Amino acid sequence: MSDRRMSDQTFMRRSSAVPGATPTSTSITFGSMFARTVRAVSAPPPPTTTTTTARRRGTNGEGRRRGRATTTPRAGFDLGKLASVLKKKTEMDIARVFNGTTKTREKLTAVNDVLALWRLEDFEETLEELEETLLGVDFGPGVAARVVDRVRERVENGECETGGSVRKALKEAIVEVLARAGETTKIGLNENEGEPSVVLVVGVNGGGKTTTLGKLSHRFAESGAKVMMVPGDTFRAAAAEQLATWAERTGAVMSDSPPNTKPGAVCYKAVEEACERGDIDIVLADTSGRLHNNSQLMDELVGVKKAITKRLPSAPHEVLLVLDGTTGLNMLNQARVFGEAVGVTGIILTKLDGTARGGAVVSVVDELGIPVKFVGVGEAMQDLQSFDPVSFVDALFPEEEN
């Protein structure tokens, strides 16, 4: 049985949609980057005899017919090693997220100024100022109003009487919005024995998609997973070379992609190669950046997803949309169109360290109901961080020093 190596997220492996099959799942909880716990469902020991890849995958010898060597699956993954890695990274992760939200946090210091003058008898005026402050960091009008309304309810119910209690209520209301979209610390993985998990990464031009793919590979690899990277961006000339560099840096495998091949065929062949190898845990498929308002390019992306599903019916197991944090509320339309086209399951927000518009992420989650899975807070390979709503809001509204 091939091992299942995972990143510092909760990975939910799901069975493929095979008619008549009984759904099964394995949940290994590593928590967010601040709550590190491990809960595992024990797996059966690896077989003592060698089994060919073709027989394990039910390919009826397809790998041999293509003349490609099969690979014996590796031994089971050591959960203790992963828990140790996550524990060592905790303090560094906290600092990176805090530093990466500096510009947004600086604009939100106005909240402290407003609440310093808090008086219960004229709280309506203060709440209006709070709403204006949220709008200034690209909270959308709708979500800003709903967050403040939630605080207003608690004030009117007598739960908040001081500026400090109002500040706490504001933070809790924002966390509620971010958590409502679903588990941010779970990545869907393949439950079927011997098959890889496939993650499709999509987005517009210039969002940092290929770089993010490399950082994802690092995240998975440092937790022990063997990753295959797929150069599905066949439009940009240097994309494959850039991805190959990331593969070398992170110890990943590059899929065998012949030149002048359409993106759908590239991804199909990569998934096939991963299945036949038998030692790949996660397939990370890059795609060409495309404008969300170009219907022809969006149709091409739909075709890429269908090609992956044709080779592996349960795939892709995650469709991650990369959004540029510096675009603010402009990312809303992008997320909406990509979600409708390919069924986005999670968001990766990049370049958060370079913007004071970090509130836009709350608007995207609120309006589309898609959870944020990762945030990019810097240029370094380690600067793609697991997203945790509580930790993110704490970074925006840190406790004041006495």
Side-chain angles (χ1 to χ4, degrees):
M1 176 177 180
S2 66
D3 57 300
R4 283 293 159 226
R5 292 162 168 76
M6 306 178 194
S7 143
D8 51 332
Q9 306 234 7
T10 300
F11 287 96
M12 178 65 68
R13 298 181 187 165
R14 303 169 296 194
S15 60
S16 62
V18 179
T22 302
T24 59
S25 65
T26 300
S27 178
I28 300 179
T29 302
F30 306 118
S32 70
M33 54 189 175
F34 304 99
R36 306 297 191 183
T37 58
V38 177
R39 175 169 55 87
V41 177
S42 61
T48 56
T49 58
T50 303
T51 306
T52 63
T53 302
R55 189 167 62 191
R56 289 179 71 254
R57 305 212 185 291
T59 58
N60 297 321
E62 181 179 350
R64 289 191 296 272
R65 286 201 304 271
R66 291 180 175 272
R68 187 173 293 155
T70 58
T71 307
T72 302
R74 294 172 295 158
F77 177 58
D78 182 2
L79 284 174
K81 177 182 177 182
L82 177 57
S84 176
V85 170
L86 298 181
K87 184 177 180 180
K88 290 177 181 178
K89 286 179 58 62
T90 299
E91 292 185 3
M92 181 174 64
D93 287 349
I94 295 173
R96 287 181 185 278
V97 173
F98 186 85
N99 293 335
T101 53
T102 298
K103 292 186 177 181
T104 301
R105 182 170 57 255
E106 287 175 351
K107 292 196 71 172
L108 285 172
T109 55
V111 169
N112 297 331
D113 298 335
V114 170
L115 294 180
L117 303 176
W118 170 264
R119 293 198 313 165
L120 192 59
E121 52 267 30
D122 53 7
F123 72 87
E124 278 294 347
E125 181 179 343
T126 302
L127 293 182
E128 288 179 5
E129 291 185 50
L130 284 180
E131 186 172 342
E132 291 176 5
T133 302
L134 296 180
L135 291 173
V137 292
D138 268 27
F139 276 71
V143 70
R146 283 188 286 276
V147 165
V148 172
D149 282 346
R150 178 71 181 117
V151 176
R152 180 180 289 107
E153 288 176 10
R154 297 184 65 175
V155 172
E156 293 175 344
N157 291 337
E159 298 178 48
C160 302
E161 296 182 353
T162 65
S165 61
V166 171
R167 187 175 185 274
K168 181 181 178 182
L170 176 66
K171 292 174 62 175
E172 291 174 352
I174 297 172
V175 169
E176 286 176 9
V177 173
L178 292 172
R180 195 181 302 140
E183 291 285 350
T184 63
T185 56
K186 286 184 179 177
I187 295 288
L189 291 184
N190 194 355
E191 172 68 10
N192 293 340
E193 181 181 342
E195 293 179 350
S197 299
V198 182
V199 179
L200 181 64
V201 182
V202 302
V204 301
N205 312 68
K209 199 162 29 55
T210 302
T211 299
T212 297
L213 205 81
K215 292 179 180 180
L216 273 177
S217 177
H218 171 70
R219 272 297 200 182
F220 292 136
E222 70 177 356
S223 297
K226 186 162 186 178
V227 177
M228 172 179 282
M229 304 181 78
V230 184
D233 184 352
T234 59
F235 180 77
R236 189 164 58 92
E241 290 80 1
Q242 183 183 0
L243 203 62
T245 300
W246 274 107
E248 184 178 355
R249 291 177 65 188
T250 62
V253 175
M254 279 289 286
S255 66
D256 183 12
S257 177
N260 303 318
T261 306
K262 292 184 177 180
V266 169
C267 291
Y268 178 95
K269 292 178 180 178
V271 174
E272 184 171 68
E273 180 184 354
C275 287
E276 292 173 357
R277 284 179 58 108
D279 64 341
I280 299 298
D281 299 306
I282 300 174
V283 175
L284 292 178
D286 194 11
T287 57
S288 301
R290 62 201 69 227
L291 295 175
H292 60 285
N293 55 7
N294 187 316
S295 59
Q296 183 177 353
L297 292 178
M298 293 304 296
D299 288 343
E300 179 187 74
L301 186 60
V302 172
V304 170
K305 183 182 178 183
K306 287 181 177 178
I308 292 173
T309 304
K310 183 178 180 180
R311 179 56 186 86
L312 190 60
S314 63
H317 305 94
E318 281 282 357
V319 180
L320 299 179
L321 172 63
V322 177
L323 294 174
D324 182 347
T326 64
T327 62
L329 286 175
N330 292 328
M331 69 176 71
L332 263 174
N333 285 335
Q334 297 175 23
R336 187 177 292 112
V337 174
F338 275 95
E340 292 172 355
V342 292
V344 173
T345 58
I347 292 170
I348 300 177
L349 188 66
T350 64
K351 307 179 184 179
L352 197 60
D353 56 311
T355 181
R357 307 169 79 180
V361 64
V362 184
S363 298
V364 172
V365 173
D366 178 64
E367 294 204 20
L368 303 181
I370 302 173
V372 178
K373 300 291 182 80
F374 296 93
V375 289
V377 293
E379 296 295 328
M381 191 159 53
Q382 298 82 8
D383 285 334
L384 185 69
Q385 298 299 317
S386 309
F387 183 79
D388 174 70
V390 174
S391 304
F392 178 73
V393 174
D394 280 344
L396 296 182
F397 301 92
E399 294 300 322
E400 292 186 275
E401 297 181 1
N402 295 326

